Short mmCIF file of all heavy atoms in Angstrom, two decimals:
data_model
loop_
_atom_site.label_atom_id
_atom_site.label_comp_id
_atom_site.label_asym_id
_atom_site.label_seq_id
_atom_site.Cartn_x
_atom_site.Cartn_y
_atom_site.Cartn_z
N ILE U 158 -96.18 88.74 141.18
CA ILE U 158 -95.40 87.56 141.48
C ILE U 158 -96.21 86.73 142.60
O ILE U 158 -96.00 85.60 142.84
CB ILE U 158 -94.04 87.75 141.98
CG1 ILE U 158 -94.01 88.53 143.28
CG2 ILE U 158 -93.15 88.36 140.87
CD1 ILE U 158 -92.59 88.74 143.90
N GLY U 159 -97.15 87.37 143.17
CA GLY U 159 -98.04 86.77 144.31
C GLY U 159 -98.90 87.66 144.81
O GLY U 159 -98.88 88.93 144.51
N LEU U 160 -99.88 87.31 145.79
CA LEU U 160 -100.75 88.14 146.42
C LEU U 160 -100.24 88.60 147.69
O LEU U 160 -100.12 87.85 148.64
CB LEU U 160 -102.09 87.41 146.53
CG LEU U 160 -103.24 88.25 147.16
CD1 LEU U 160 -103.68 89.30 146.21
CD2 LEU U 160 -104.42 87.41 147.66
N PRO U 161 -100.08 89.91 147.89
CA PRO U 161 -99.65 90.43 149.27
C PRO U 161 -100.67 90.04 150.29
O PRO U 161 -101.86 90.14 150.01
CB PRO U 161 -99.47 91.91 149.07
CG PRO U 161 -99.32 92.13 147.56
CD PRO U 161 -100.08 90.96 146.92
N LEU U 162 -100.15 89.68 151.44
CA LEU U 162 -101.00 89.11 152.52
C LEU U 162 -100.95 89.94 153.79
O LEU U 162 -101.85 90.41 154.41
CB LEU U 162 -100.73 87.66 152.80
CG LEU U 162 -101.66 86.81 153.58
CD1 LEU U 162 -103.07 86.91 152.83
CD2 LEU U 162 -101.13 85.39 153.68
N LEU U 163 -99.59 90.05 154.30
CA LEU U 163 -99.34 90.87 155.47
C LEU U 163 -98.07 91.79 155.33
O LEU U 163 -97.25 91.45 154.54
CB LEU U 163 -99.03 89.91 156.61
CG LEU U 163 -100.03 88.86 156.95
CD1 LEU U 163 -99.45 87.81 157.95
CD2 LEU U 163 -101.30 89.62 157.61
N LEU U 164 -98.09 92.87 156.03
CA LEU U 164 -96.96 93.85 155.99
C LEU U 164 -96.12 93.66 157.21
O LEU U 164 -96.86 93.53 158.38
CB LEU U 164 -97.46 95.18 155.86
CG LEU U 164 -98.32 95.51 154.60
CD1 LEU U 164 -98.80 96.98 154.63
CD2 LEU U 164 -97.54 95.33 153.37
N GLN U 165 -94.92 93.69 157.18
CA GLN U 165 -93.93 93.43 158.30
C GLN U 165 -92.94 94.72 158.37
O GLN U 165 -91.91 94.65 157.77
CB GLN U 165 -93.15 92.17 158.15
CG GLN U 165 -94.20 90.95 157.98
CD GLN U 165 -93.33 89.71 157.59
OE1 GLN U 165 -92.22 89.78 157.03
NE2 GLN U 165 -93.95 88.55 157.78
N PRO U 166 -93.33 95.78 159.08
CA PRO U 166 -92.44 96.98 159.28
C PRO U 166 -91.18 96.58 160.10
O PRO U 166 -91.12 95.60 160.82
CB PRO U 166 -93.34 97.96 159.95
CG PRO U 166 -94.72 97.43 159.83
CD PRO U 166 -94.68 95.85 159.83
N GLN U 167 -90.26 97.38 159.90
CA GLN U 167 -89.01 97.26 160.71
C GLN U 167 -89.02 98.41 161.72
O GLN U 167 -89.42 99.57 161.43
CB GLN U 167 -87.77 97.46 159.82
CG GLN U 167 -86.39 97.12 160.57
CD GLN U 167 -85.18 97.46 159.63
OE1 GLN U 167 -85.23 98.10 158.62
NE2 GLN U 167 -84.20 96.92 160.07
N LEU U 168 -88.66 98.12 162.87
CA LEU U 168 -88.63 99.02 163.99
C LEU U 168 -87.45 98.82 164.95
O LEU U 168 -86.57 98.05 164.61
CB LEU U 168 -90.05 98.96 164.72
CG LEU U 168 -90.42 97.69 165.35
CD1 LEU U 168 -91.56 98.00 166.40
CD2 LEU U 168 -90.99 96.77 164.18
N ALA U 169 -87.62 99.35 166.13
CA ALA U 169 -86.50 99.15 167.17
C ALA U 169 -87.16 98.49 168.36
O ALA U 169 -88.30 98.78 168.73
CB ALA U 169 -85.91 100.49 167.67
N CYS U 170 -86.50 97.43 168.95
CA CYS U 170 -87.05 96.71 170.17
C CYS U 170 -85.91 97.05 171.25
O CYS U 170 -84.77 96.97 170.95
CB CYS U 170 -87.14 95.31 169.90
SG CYS U 170 -88.40 94.94 168.61
#
Side-chain angles (χ1 to χ4, degrees):
I158 61 175
L160 180 71
L162 196 59
L163 299 172
L164 301 176
Q165 302 169 340
Q167 187 185 18
L168 59 160
C170 297

